[in-house]
Amino acid sequence: MGMCLPCLGGPGNDLSTSPDRVSNLETRRRELAEAAEKRQKETTYRGVKNPQAVERNKKNKEMEKQEMRPSLPGGGLKWQVG
């Protein structure tokens, strides 16, 4: 049995973090994050032929809701006694 840890006298080159190894890890993390975003988008728009149209419709509905809200502080309702 060989010694693989540097504290036991074995080769310790595998445990060091060289700059190119760190950049490889950063690259790998970025690629994994991009792949996760891509999967998320695919599952969000599964079965939708035109995702841009869906987004446009959502924005239009939100704009309509904002326009329907009254701008008066009391909610636009007035009390009438009579």
Side-chain angles (χ1 to χ4, degrees):
M1 289 181 33
M3 295 183 199
C4 61
L5 298 175
C7 61
L8 299 174
N13 295 351
D14 295 340
L15 297 177
S16 66
T17 56
S18 63
D20 52 330
R21 179 181 163 101
V22 172
S23 66
N24 287 340
L25 290 174
E26 290 173 356
T27 304
R28 181 71 177 149
R29 287 185 185 131
R30 188 182 71 242
E31 290 172 352
L32 289 172
E34 290 171 358
E37 289 177 14
K38 183 179 176 183
R39 283 192 307 272
Q40 183 69 29
K41 286 181 182 178
E42 287 175 356
T43 57
T44 301
Y45 296 115
R46 178 172 287 176
V48 176
K49 291 183 181 180
N50 191 352
Q52 290 85 12
V54 172
E55 289 296 322
R56 230 180 5 254
N57 288 339
K58 282 184 184 178
K59 288 181 183 177
N60 288 339
K61 287 181 182 179
E62 289 177 12
M63 296 277 287
E64 289 175 3
K65 285 182 182 178
Q66 289 178 354
E67 290 174 2
M68 295 296 284
R69 290 185 188 146
S71 60
L72 298 175
L77 299 176
K78 296 182 181 178
W79 286 93
Q80 294 182 351
V81 180

